[in-house]
Amino acid sequence: MTNIPFVILDVFATGKYTGNQLAVCWGAENLTDLQMQQIAREINFSETTFVTDTEPVNGGYNTRIFTPMTELPFAGHPTLGTAFAIQQQILKQQVERVNLNYQVGQIPVDLNYVDGNLDILWMHQQQPKFYDSLAEEIFADVIGVNPTDIDSGYPIEPVSTGLPFIIIPLKTLAAVGTAKLNLELYARVVADLPAQAILIFCPETVDPQRQLHVRVFTECFGIPEDPATGSANGCLAAYLAKHQYCGSPNVNITVEQGMEMGRSSLLYLRADHTPDLCPVSIGGRVIKIATGEFIL
């Protein structure tokens, strides 16, 4: 078996060494599930992706996503980063769209260029699914905030646009910044819920040019906190549109994430909620950091 090339990227980056780290491997069609999991554990980023066909299948590239502990059916920053890597390392020419084939179905990514260089990439997520709202009091204890820190004007609600997250609205930057999972209580509370990962947000921001400040806790995937989460922010975009948090069912905002981790991240959120549909798109920039290969 030949060695497996890979590229390391920063996704949803505001500059080099910001955003969420990602390793993308290609030429991985002969790797076993165990080998993919071992490579993901060796890299030890929140996710590592494997392009298992370097030619399109049904118009898209078969791709698998692994955390250090498990395989995921979909994730956001791996989608943008993998589309970037396919354009840069496999296609090596300008294309307007790259489709990725996942367990959840095909996810399209639109590529925009400025002076011939890739700029913002946009992924179009699945139609959102909304679940029953959850009790405020218990989740205040789960995330370690006072009940009065939760914005009771909006529900605590699980949402999925391919991967489910519990969305919790808070009032202040201080509350978001001090939140910390009570792991024992968290494990009991989320055990039977349709979502276990948690996104908290507030309208106060560190950067006045952004509209929301976000943190995402993904303990259920073996990652205590994620610095930039496209799948979670897709759920957030759908939530904001449904509940008209921004004043209308149309969302077009920028979100900051990862600052508490020293990994400043910038995500662009778009959504339009109607009684029948709610298209969701999440955008961001990708920066190449390093290339190499795994010796097999």
Side-chain angles (χ1 to χ4, degrees):
M1 185 180 292
T2 59
N3 294 340
I4 302 298
F6 70 89
V7 61
I8 292 176
L9 307 170
D10 287 340
V11 184
F12 297 120
T14 59
K16 206 171 185 181
Y17 309 126
T18 67
N20 204 344
Q21 299 155 296
L22 176 73
V24 181
C25 305
W26 62 96
E29 55 271 13
N30 293 319
L31 290 181
T32 66
D33 291 3
L34 176 60
Q35 286 174 312
M36 292 184 199
Q37 187 64 76
Q38 288 173 327
I39 289 172
R41 190 174 299 119
E42 183 73 14
I43 288 286
N44 206 36
F45 292 161
S46 56
E47 284 101 4
T48 297
T49 66
F50 298 86
V51 181
T52 57
D53 289 283
T54 53
E55 294 293 332
V57 177
N58 297 323
Y61 292 86
N62 291 339
T63 302
R64 299 177 68 180
I65 305 171
F66 286 80
T67 76
M69 291 182 59
T70 190
E71 184 172 8
L72 297 180
F74 167 71
H77 94 273
T79 298
L80 284 196
T82 302
F84 177 99
I86 288 170
Q87 189 274 331
Q88 293 278 296
Q89 308 295 147
I90 297 175
L91 298 175
K92 299 181 180 179
Q93 61 180 327
Q94 288 193 19
V95 294
E96 294 183 355
R97 174 169 284 190
V98 171
N99 297 316
L100 301 183
N101 300 329
Y102 288 133
Q103 293 178 21
V104 299
Q106 190 171 94
I107 302 293
V109 180
D110 291 335
L111 287 68
N112 298 286
Y113 302 83
V114 174
D115 297 327
N117 298 313
L118 270 174
D119 189 42
I120 298 177
L121 292 81
W122 288 93
M123 63 178 158
H124 306 289
Q125 298 189 12
Q126 293 189 332
Q127 285 297 305
K129 182 176 182 180
F130 300 95
Y131 299 86
D132 292 339
S133 59
L134 305 171
E136 292 181 10
E137 294 79 7
I138 189 67
F139 274 93
D141 291 335
V142 167
I143 64 174
V145 302
N146 293 321
T148 55
D149 289 325
I150 295 176
D151 187 347
S152 59
Y154 300 92
I156 296 176
E157 186 174 36
V159 183
S160 178
T161 58
L163 195 65
F165 288 82
I166 299 167
I167 308 298
I168 304 179
L170 300 184
K171 296 177 182 177
T172 66
L173 191 61
V176 173
T178 57
K180 183 179 180 180
L181 287 188
N182 178 328
L183 294 178
E184 182 179 351
L185 180 61
Y186 162 81
R188 294 202 309 269
V189 168
V190 304
D192 296 321
L193 295 180
Q196 283 80 48
I198 294 175
L199 179 150
I200 62 176
F201 75 97
C202 72
E204 295 181 350
T205 58
V206 176
D207 185 336
Q209 297 184 27
R210 314 303 171 211
Q211 285 74 57
L212 296 178
H213 185 87
V214 164
R215 292 179 70 188
V216 175
F217 301 108
T218 46
E219 189 70 41
C220 56
F221 303 133
I223 306 156
E225 184 170 354
D226 204 36
T229 320
S231 53
N233 277 280
C235 298
L236 175 61
Y239 173 100
L240 298 172
K242 175 188 175 185
H243 298 293
Q244 299 192 26
Y245 185 92
C246 301
S248 84
N250 310 114
V251 172
N252 187 359
I253 63 171
T254 56
V255 164
E256 61 186 23
Q257 188 184 335
M259 291 184 172
E260 290 80 4
M261 304 176 67
R263 299 283 307 188
S264 173
S265 303
L266 174 62
L267 302 94
Y268 297 83
L269 278 59
R270 291 178 182 169
D272 296 287
H273 187 270
T274 70
D276 300 317
L277 293 172
C278 184
V280 172
S281 300
I282 303 298
R285 293 184 172 88
V286 181
I287 297 175
K288 183 160 66 175
I289 300 299
T291 59
E293 63 179 20
F294 281 98
I295 301 169
L296 299 178

